[in-house]
């Protein structure tokens, strides 16, 4: 598939060792190791071993941990470059994956999570769009710092999305003044959402992140029954009330057979700026217990942190967050992308055998 430079001229024993190490590199992002076909090229130089991988999911920054692992086992400095190339398999128009970010109740940081997840996926090498499905209370324009923007149209039939930080964004907030209330019945809201989704020129997207409204109403049914979503992320806090509502969200997605990709626990704890002690203000282990009960991964435990609040309120990007805060969203983006890849692989490898029985 790829042109691979021979690493060693005399024999291939060390080459075999390298591939064995790559295959044995197991992590949450690479549960099956590094596949041979992902190795695009490698070259042994006097002072360093350079490796380039072509990976079918968005994990561009995973190169650092992999390079450290190989350096330790090969006793040589190793550099790894990861190029992201998602397969051209569109599930909806020219969109490869639609991911719903949902919660049972409001106020748990769902919209911030959706925006930061999208930003992290871009930094990991993906083409990303964000659809604000909260017709009654759109907040995506504010979180991205584009609330005064108005979408244009090339043909008076489709809308061009607003682009910020290489992310294509669409929201009812661009079309309805922020000071006006959206007073629509459920079917009207669902129709508006359909128009936002289908009459926006998204172009080619690897991921469309959908910021869902709270609850389990008409919008949720529209996005699960009329759109081939790949899965849902559930956002909660450790509080019992939030967990109870998150449970309802999980039950709804289970009823419509939409996979739960994982849980994200926001406001998981607070790190004291004076002593560094971890304080569980809203409870402890709630997200982990809910995830364990339903057999889904807990993707991140995001702390209560002023930098996150300020960045979302000022329309900033996670690249400006402290590294220890941005890493939560980076890890989440990598895991979501990896889960979707292996989920697709598992689906596509099912064999149907017809017998005479």
């Amino acid at each position: 598939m790829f042109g691979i430079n021979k690493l060693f001229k005399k024999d291939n024993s060390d080459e075999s060792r390298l591939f064995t190490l790559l295959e044995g590199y197991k992590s949450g992002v690479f549960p099956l190791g590094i596949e041979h076909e992902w190795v695009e090229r490698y070259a042994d130089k006097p002072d360093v071993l350079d490796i380039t991988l072509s990976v079918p999911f968005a994990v561009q920054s995973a190169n650092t941990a992999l390079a450290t692992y190989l350096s330790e086992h090969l006793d040589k400095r190793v550099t790894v470059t990861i190029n992201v190339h998602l397969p051209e398999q569109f599930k909806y128009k020219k969109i490869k994956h639609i991911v719903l970010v949902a919660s049972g109740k409001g106020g748990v940081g769902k919209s911030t999570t959706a925006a930061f997840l999208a930003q992290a996926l871009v930094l990991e090498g993906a083409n990303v769009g964000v659809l604000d499905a909260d017709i009654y209370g759109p907040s995506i324009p504010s979180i991205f710092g584009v609330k005064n923007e108005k979408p244009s149209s090339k043909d008076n039939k489709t809308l061009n999305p607003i682009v910020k930080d290489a992310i294509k964004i669409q929201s009812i907030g661009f079309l309805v003044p922020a000071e006006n209330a959206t007073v629509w019945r459920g079917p009207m809201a669902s129709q508006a959402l359909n128009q936002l989704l289908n009459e926006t020129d998204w172009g080619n997207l690897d991921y469309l992140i959908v910021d869902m409204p709270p609850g389990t109403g008409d919008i949720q049914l529209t996005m699960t029954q009329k759109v081939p979503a790949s899965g849902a992320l559930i956002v909660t806090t450790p509080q019992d009330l939030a967990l109870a509502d998150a449970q309802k969200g999980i039950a709804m997605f289970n009823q419509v057979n939409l996979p739960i990709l994982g849980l994200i626990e926001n406001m998981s704890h607070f790190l004291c700026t004076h002593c560094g002690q971890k304080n569980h203000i809203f409870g402890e282990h709630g997200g982990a217990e809910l995830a364990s009960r339903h057999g889904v991964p807990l993707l991140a435990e995001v702390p209560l942190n002023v930098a996150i609040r300020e960045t979302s309120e000022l329309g900033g990007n996670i690249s400006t967050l402290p590294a220890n805060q941005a890493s939560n969203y980076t890890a989440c983006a990598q895991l979501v992308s990896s889960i979707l890849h292996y989920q697709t692989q598992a689906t596509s490898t099912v064999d149907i055998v017809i017998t005479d029985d």
Side-chain angles (χ1 to χ4, degrees), residues 284-320:
E284 189 174 1
H285 305 311
E289 291 173 0
L290 183 62
S292 176
R293 191 184 314 150
H294 291 278
V296 299
L298 180 63
L299 300 175
E301 293 175 299
V302 182
L304 186 65
N305 185 271
V306 66
I308 295 175
R309 192 266 300 170
E310 291 176 343
T311 300
S312 64
E313 286 188 350
L314 297 174
N317 189 285
I318 62 164
S319 60
T320 65

Side-chain angles (χ1 to χ4, degrees), residues 118-119 122 128 144 163-169 315-319:
Q119 293 170 0
V122 168
V128 183
F144 276 96
V163 180
K164 174 73 180 296
D165 297 328
I167 298 171
K168 297 176 180 178
I169 309 164
N317 189 285
I318 62 164
S319 60

Side-chain angles (χ1 to χ4, degrees), residues 337-351:
S337 187
S338 172
I339 290 168
L340 288 172
H341 166 73
Y342 287 108
Q343 173 183 291
T344 302
Q345 292 295 101
T347 302
S348 63
T349 55
V350 173
D351 292 326

Side-chain angles (χ1 to χ4, degrees), residues 6 10 46 58 64 91 102 162 165 227 236 278 296 315 317 340:
K6 284 296 181 182
K10 294 183 179 181
T64 303
K91 294 189 69 173
I162 303 300
D165 297 328
V227 178
T236 185
K278 185 182 290 188
V296 299
N317 189 285
L340 288 172

Side-chain angles (χ1 to χ4, degrees), residues 97-116:
H97 289 290
I98 297 177
V99 178
L100 311 183
V101 180
S103 65
K105 69 188 300 294
V108 297
K110 170 183 52 58
S111 296
T112 297
T113 298
F116 285 0

Side-chain angles (χ1 to χ4, degrees), residues 10 39 58 61 91 115 146 179 229 235 287 291 296 299 306 321 329 338 354:
K10 294 183 179 181
V39 181
S61 68
K91 294 189 69 173
V146 290
E179 62 274 13
V235 181
V296 299
L299 300 175
V306 66
L321 287 176
Y329 300 103
S338 172
I354 300 176

